[in-house]
Amino acid sequence: MNHYQFGVDYYPEHWPKERWATDARMMREMGIQIVRMAEFSWAKFEPSEGAFRFEDLDEAIDILGREGIDVILGTPSAAPPAWIVERDPDIQPLDWTMRRRHFGGRHHDCQSHPVYRAHIKRYVTAFAAHYADNPHVVGWQVDNELGNSHGDLCFCEHCEARFRAWLKQKYVTIDELNRAWGTAFWSQGYASFDQVHAPRVTVTGLNPSQDLDWKRFTSNLICEFHQFQADILRAHAPGKFITHNLMGFCSKPSYYDLGKQLDFASHDQYPGGHFHARHDEYRADWHAAELDFIRAVKQKSFWIMEQQSGITGWEILGRAPKPGQIPLWAMQCVAHGADTIVFFRWRSCAMGTEQYWHGILPHNGVPGRYHREISAFMKKYAPLLKELNGSVPKAEMAILRSYDQERAFDIQPHHPQHRYIQHLATYYKAFHRANVPVDFVGEEHDFTPYKVLIAPLQFLMTPEHAAKLRAYVERGGTLVLTWRSGVKDGTNLCHTEGALPCLVDDLCGVALAEYDCLRDTTGLVHWDGVDYPCDIWCDVLETTTAEPIAVYAHEFYAGSPAITRNRYGKGTVYYVGTQMAPELADRFACELCADAGIKPLLVTPHGVEVTHRVVDGKRYLFLLNHLETSQRVDVPASWRTWDDADWSGELSELGVQVFVEE
Ligand code: GAL
């Protein structure tokens, strides 16, 4: 049972001890029940080998405990201290030009280095044992945002040795590796596994099969690095949960794999972050997509481990959150399935890289607007979060998010502007605009609960995957496949038999005539008398059993099918041959929902998002206005306001209203 609705990330080591009791009291008064601490504090707690000094942390935990606040502790492997680096400098990673990345930031570690592993084992064992019986320490986080700056980073001999062992286990013989990687090309054949390296800086392009395996390997390495620490924690401090602060669509480790080791998933949500190119761009749909994806990691509700609580940035800052925007962002997380919101961070830090990544309190520790808004939000919504605990939005439609397809397109994007995740977002955003709830799934998940499965860019197509898609359609599912599907096998070699999309051409009822890459140009799709723009790529289709529902209206293939529909078994398969502009995606989403019998939650003006969570048949509906103007929204008479507020039909700027329907 999760007892927590609100928390905060706290770094007592950055502040004088005399302040800790004040902080703890202020946190309790605000409604904070849990803090996460210690994930970057190795140097302080082990200033030299084996000399553990947990006294200050004990004291901070004790002070918080006296205010009724529990603690999640982070293992500090994202920031090995100077004394380790000085003694064992080669635990610092080598980038792919074989250049050393040095101490002075964070994540300056090689995850496979045996000496570094020994240091981690010593620390984490002592840490876990020390806090095993502390009743206030209720959970763990291993490292921090694994995959953030990890993954492709280290190419040292230890990483390569592990890569070779991984390949040996996968391919058994070197002949099989040569076949699977197509090493006949450019004389790349290997006589033994010892000759195989991580992809290094080369004069020309890399072998795409080698690169795909390297990306898969680095994902596995990150997960194994997590498992290494999780095993120690579970052995020495049983009965406490383990979670991890994931980063939405980050693609370095597979979160489906990492999720198997977690009790529940957590996510870091910074909607107003400093990293966006344009701050006037509408991004609420993108943030919604990331939240829906995090829910897919364990297919259940989740936590936010870092929720933006002020203006943020490192050297460059983003925009200041407007009044009401921080509560709106937090409520959006709740609306998509978050049970607990932990705000990052308690107080803006006076030192180091993150001086401008503001917390609930400003540098001087005196509460201001962020504190006021967050306090009011917590007070009002703590009872709601309790009622919602463990529930999730219910969706009839799923989007397949595949790490492997994404890796393959990272290696060969085809078009300079093509990004796998952006392509998924084309579909997600259309359903978001229509207020149709969406789940994400991975290849391993069960597709059968969904009326519609959107499986974009199924570039790598194995017989097993094709069979799973086929079975889904045969039983009555509606499947959407998109361009460049069925092109390659599981090791990134092109299929050489049958028509594209290979292994599923009969399922789609199409055979590809040819394709075009829309370099420096765009195209048109003609549908029911309207021309819609398309971009990036065109699969030119010939139908076998499918019916064309839209055709191209540009180039020498004008009149050829661009979108098709095929009835197969008890189900239906759509094939979309091009990258749709938003207007076309909306038209397609509308067609698909009508055909599959899926109804939107509500029709709302642009910028008003609607989601729902269902608790024992009772529906909670969230209306979120992401725009800075108030908007008129008509809701059904059966919805009553959760807080018994009078509903005027007007949602204020950046406003939130929760309804219930019995
Ligand atoms: C997150 C990270 C935190 C902190 C924050 C602000 O990505 O987990 O440790 O760095 O960003 O930059």
Side-chain angles (χ1 to χ4, degrees), residues 104-381:
R106 61 177 173 184
H107 286 305
H108 46 274
D109 59 303
C110 163
Q111 296 184 332
S112 44
H113 202 295
V115 170
Y116 189 47
R117 289 288 181 106
H119 285 299
I120 292 174
K121 186 169 182 196
R122 182 189 63 254
Y123 185 96
V124 177
T125 305
F127 198 43
H130 187 84
Y131 290 107
D133 298 324
N134 189 315
H136 300 302
V137 176
V138 295
W140 303 104
Q141 173 187 296
V142 169
D143 205 282
N144 189 75
E145 291 186 340
L146 284 166
N148 181 355
S149 55
H150 280 117
D152 293 344
L153 195 59
C154 189
F155 291 74
C156 76
E157 57 181 302
H158 303 290
C159 290
E160 280 197 332
R162 275 176 177 259
F163 182 43
R164 285 189 200 110
W166 185 89
L167 292 170
K168 237 184 234 173
Q169 199 181 10
K170 179 168 180 180
Y171 295 113
V172 183
T173 66
I174 197 67
D175 290 346
E176 182 50 20
L177 178 139
N178 281 318
R179 191 206 56 77
W181 283 12
T183 58
F185 188 74
W186 283 352
S187 189
Q188 287 172 357
Y190 300 102
S192 82
F193 282 96
D194 298 334
Q195 294 172 350
V196 182
H197 291 281
R200 290 182 173 174
V201 179
T202 46
V203 177
T204 58
L206 286 172
N207 179 330
S209 299
Q210 177 189 17
D211 210 3
L212 178 60
D213 267 343
W214 172 253
K215 289 185 190 310
R216 289 167 168 160
F217 160 75
T218 51
S219 171
N220 283 13
L221 174 62
I222 293 170
C223 294
E224 188 272 334
F225 182 76
H226 185 276
Q227 185 78 60
F228 175 73
Q229 300 194 43
D231 286 348
I232 301 173
L233 294 169
R234 290 202 167 104
H236 293 275
K240 304 185 196 290
F241 64 73
I242 297 184
T243 187
H244 193 72
N245 56 339
L246 308 171
M247 296 169 287
F249 286 132
C250 159
S251 61
K252 281 183 180 166
S254 156
Y255 286 168
Y256 301 131
D257 291 346
L258 189 60
K260 293 186 182 128
Q261 304 171 32
L262 307 176
D263 292 290
F264 55 86
S266 298
H267 167 67
D268 295 347
Q269 183 79 340
Y270 293 110
H274 65 318
F275 18 67
H276 308 322
R278 292 204 60 99
H279 278 77
D280 51 1
E281 196 189 331
Y282 182 76
R283 294 182 62 91
D285 44 7
W286 179 265
H287 302 307
E290 291 203 299
L291 294 164
D292 284 342
F293 175 67
I294 292 298
R295 203 175 61 246
V297 171
K298 299 286 291 182
Q299 296 196 306
K300 63 177 190 181
S301 54
F302 54 91
W303 285 34
I304 299 297
M305 194 53 85
E306 298 182 18
Q307 176 77 39
Q308 182 165 347
S309 58
I311 183 169
T312 55
W314 283 9
E315 295 79 17
I316 306 285
L317 279 75
R319 299 292 314 275
K322 315 271 156 87
Q325 207 161 28
I326 294 175
L328 170 69
W329 288 337
M331 194 50 123
Q332 190 185 25
C333 298
V334 175
H336 285 269
D339 283 338
T340 305
I341 309 282
V342 178
F343 288 89
F344 187 93
R345 50 193 290 155
W346 175 239
R347 182 169 171 182
S348 312
C349 190
M351 56 195 137
T353 307
E354 297 187 355
Q355 288 164 324
Y356 310 128
W357 203 280
H358 286 72
I360 296 176
L361 297 181
H363 290 112
N364 70 4
V366 179
R369 174 167 72 88
Y370 302 150
H371 181 273
R372 235 180 3 259
E373 288 189 19
I374 295 171
S375 290
F377 172 75
M378 289 186 187
K379 294 241 150 56
K380 175 163 181 184
Y381 290 112

Side-chain angles (χ1 to χ4, degrees), residues 496-607:
T496 51
E497 279 173 34
L500 289 172
C502 290
L503 308 183
V504 289
D505 56 318
D506 64 317
L507 189 61
C508 301
V510 298
L512 247 75
E514 55 178 304
Y515 40 76
D516 188 12
C517 184
L518 297 183
R519 292 296 301 272
D520 306 317
T521 185
T522 55
L524 286 176
V525 170
H526 189 75
W527 188 346
D528 279 348
V530 182
D531 283 340
Y532 299 91
C534 68
D535 199 1
I536 307 273
W537 190 267
C538 297
D539 272 352
V540 181
L541 306 169
E542 275 172 7
T543 54
T544 50
T545 55
E547 48 165 329
I549 60 174
V551 297
Y552 291 114
H554 66 277
E555 265 303 340
F556 61 91
Y557 42 89
S560 303
I563 305 175
T564 59
R565 174 169 47 214
N566 193 38
R567 306 289 182 197
Y568 186 96
K570 293 186 186 146
T572 302
V573 183
Y574 287 84
Y575 193 93
V576 182
T578 188
Q579 170 69 33
M580 300 189 287
E583 310 86 294
L584 180 54
D586 286 341
R587 173 73 181 83
F588 180 71
C590 182
E591 176 85 15
L592 194 60
C593 288
D595 194 28
I598 295 179
K599 293 204 175 53
L601 293 177
L602 192 71
V603 177
T604 57
H606 166 68

